[in-house]
Every structure is written in structure tokens, then in C-alpha cells.
Amino acid sequence: MDEVMADAVAEHLKRYNFEFGERLTVADLEGKWIWDAVETGRHGKLEEFLRSEDFFAVLGVMPEARRVMASLQTEYEVFIATAAMEVPTSFTAKYEWLGRHFPFIEPSHIVFCGDKSILKADFLIDDNPRQLRRFSGQGVLFHSHHNVNETEFPRVRNWLEVEEMFLGGKRR
């Protein structure tokens, strides 16, 4: 969900820059996680942002995600899996966010987990190579600043490329 459907990095950067009066950008994060781009003394604040009750509630939707997800559902049985156990305070906000932005996804098709290797599916689109390595189906890496150097999996740069990969570019 995060960094595939929901733009968590933009919110993290917004809060970080406001808190510390800086101008950290996505370009500054190229090839690394935000934790690697800021001094360790600020990691507690980064964690605090993630654990705040409203963080996941206000995330933007990745461009074209809603439209392409709706189209995918006409051809595939689609589940949303999110590693919510990494931030347990995110459950309610993530669930409500999905309902608000992707109301066509049935609640029974939303999976809150930690390790996505428990999923038994044909494909998993994720920004985190760690999750894809443990997945038994075909992993598809969704491009993000932190995974630019990863070459182990087929990559999609955006939702238009997801559409091309799974629907042959048929716009619906």
C-alpha cells in the first residue's frame, strides 16, 4: 500500500521539513531510505511521525492508482496487502484511507500483515525488495527512491506501467 498506492514519502518529507526547517526532497533520498538521509538523532522524530494517528489518514493517492486498480479488478481478483505490523498504530487510518480512496475494494480483500510471504498469490507489487524476496509468486518492484539500485525483480515505474504489464495498456 505505502509507496505503491499511497504517497507516504511526501507526507514524511512534509512533516520532517516543517519540524526541522529543512528542505529535504525525494531527490535527496535517491538510493536510500529516509532514515539513511537524516542524522540518527532525528530518527525518533521520524518514528513519531509514522506512529501519529493521522499520518496514514492524510496520504495522497499515487497518480492513476485508483483508475488502474478499478480496471485490474475487472480481470483479476485483487487484494491489498500492507505490512501494517511495522506500524501497528496505522491499522484504523489505513483501513479508512482505503475505504475513502478505493471504495470498490471489498474489506475482505484487505490483508494486514507483517511478512508478506504468508500471501499465496500469483503476483505481488511492492516497493520493498525484502517483501518480494520472501514472496512465493512473481514479485514486481514498484519504483521508489529507496529501490533505484535494485535489479532483482521486474520493475514498474508508475501505475501506467502496471496497467501495461497486466492489462496490455487497455485503458478502461
Side-chain angles (χ1 to χ4, degrees):
M1 181 177 152
D2 306 321
E3 287 316 295
V4 175
M5 297 168 68
D7 191 352
V9 168
E11 185 64 20
H12 225 156
L13 287 172
K14 176 180 155 189
R15 291 178 188 222
Y16 177 84
N17 287 333
F18 179 79
E19 178 75 21
F20 296 105
E22 292 191 14
R23 293 183 183 196
L24 193 63
T25 68
V26 173
D28 297 323
L29 304 180
E30 183 90 3
K32 54 192 161 208
W33 297 88
I34 192 169
W35 309 91
D36 301 321
V38 304
E39 58 189 69
T40 57
R42 294 180 174 179
H43 285 190
K45 197 51 130 168
L46 291 177
E47 187 72 25
E48 185 180 314
F49 298 151
L50 283 177
R51 295 195 182 281
S52 68
E53 288 187 23
D54 69 329
F55 183 86
F56 291 95
V58 299
L59 301 182
V61 178
M62 296 297 233
E64 298 290 338
R66 189 173 330 176
R67 183 186 62 75
V68 174
M69 283 293 293
S71 293
L72 285 171
Q73 286 202 297
T74 67
E75 303 288 329
Y76 298 92
E77 186 174 18
V78 176
F79 288 81
I80 304 304
T82 181
M85 294 309 298
E86 293 174 0
V87 184
T89 55
S90 69
F91 283 98
T92 301
K94 285 185 174 196
Y95 182 78
E96 290 173 352
W97 186 92
L98 284 166
R100 195 167 46 256
H101 297 289
F102 296 85
F104 50 86
I105 297 171
E106 295 293 324
S108 63
H109 282 64
I110 299 171
V111 180
F112 291 98
C113 59
D115 182 346
K116 293 181 186 173
S117 70
I118 65 158
L119 303 172
K120 301 300 177 211
D122 296 322
F123 299 96
L124 174 63
I125 302 171
D126 204 296
D127 68 304
N128 191 332
R130 175 179 52 86
Q131 294 289 4
L132 297 176
R133 283 185 194 103
R134 296 185 44 97
F135 177 65
S136 62
Q138 173 62 60
V140 176
L141 187 66
F142 197 92
H143 181 80
S144 187
H145 59 86
H146 61 84
N147 67 30
V148 296
N149 298 316
E150 181 63 51
T151 59
E152 190 175 343
F153 302 97
R155 177 184 297 269
V156 289
R157 298 189 67 77
N158 53 50
W159 278 94
L160 295 176
E161 288 188 10
V162 171
E163 181 176 50
E164 179 64 36
M165 179 180 276
F166 289 97
L167 298 171
K170 296 181 248 175
R171 287 192 92 140
R172 296 171 193 251

